[in-house]
Amino acid sequence: MRLEDIRQRTRKVPFEPFRVFLSNGQTFDIYHPDQCVGSTGAAHISVPSENGPPHIRDQVTIVSLYHIQKIEPLPTPAAAAGSNGAG
């Protein structure tokens, strides 16, 4: 994976959540652009603690760009059945 690929995803406006797939089978779901920061040779991904609430990120995993196999957009929630989308 290239640094520019990470930056392109995190700087997209509007931001679209995405999933990072690693060569060891591990995945990371990125819901906010500040959750994944690319640097030369690595991506710094903030993750929730195992016992904490999922919206609190208190750990950072540093992943070599070499081990990122692909990035895919996360599925967006579908509108409720019978809904016309009007609020």
Side-chain angles (χ1 to χ4, degrees):
M1 183 65 51
R2 298 176 312 139
L3 174 58
E4 187 55 38
D5 297 326
I6 299 291
R7 289 185 174 162
Q8 182 180 10
R9 285 284 185 168
T10 57
R11 294 176 179 170
K12 187 172 184 172
V13 177
F15 177 77
E16 295 178 0
F18 59 92
R19 180 170 289 145
V20 176
F21 293 83
L22 302 184
S23 59
N24 67 359
Q26 190 174 12
T27 61
F28 293 96
D29 291 348
I30 308 300
Y31 293 101
H32 190 276
D34 293 340
Q35 191 182 343
C36 181
V37 177
S39 66
T40 303
H44 303 253
I45 301 173
S46 63
V47 294
S49 64
E50 289 184 25
N51 300 324
H55 65 283
I56 303 294
R57 312 270 182 211
D58 68 351
Q59 299 176 13
V60 174
T61 299
I62 300 172
V63 177
S64 169
L65 295 179
Y66 179 78
H67 290 289
I68 299 177
Q69 289 191 322
K70 64 180 177 176
I71 296 175
E72 291 183 352
L74 284 173
T76 55
S83 170
N84 65 3

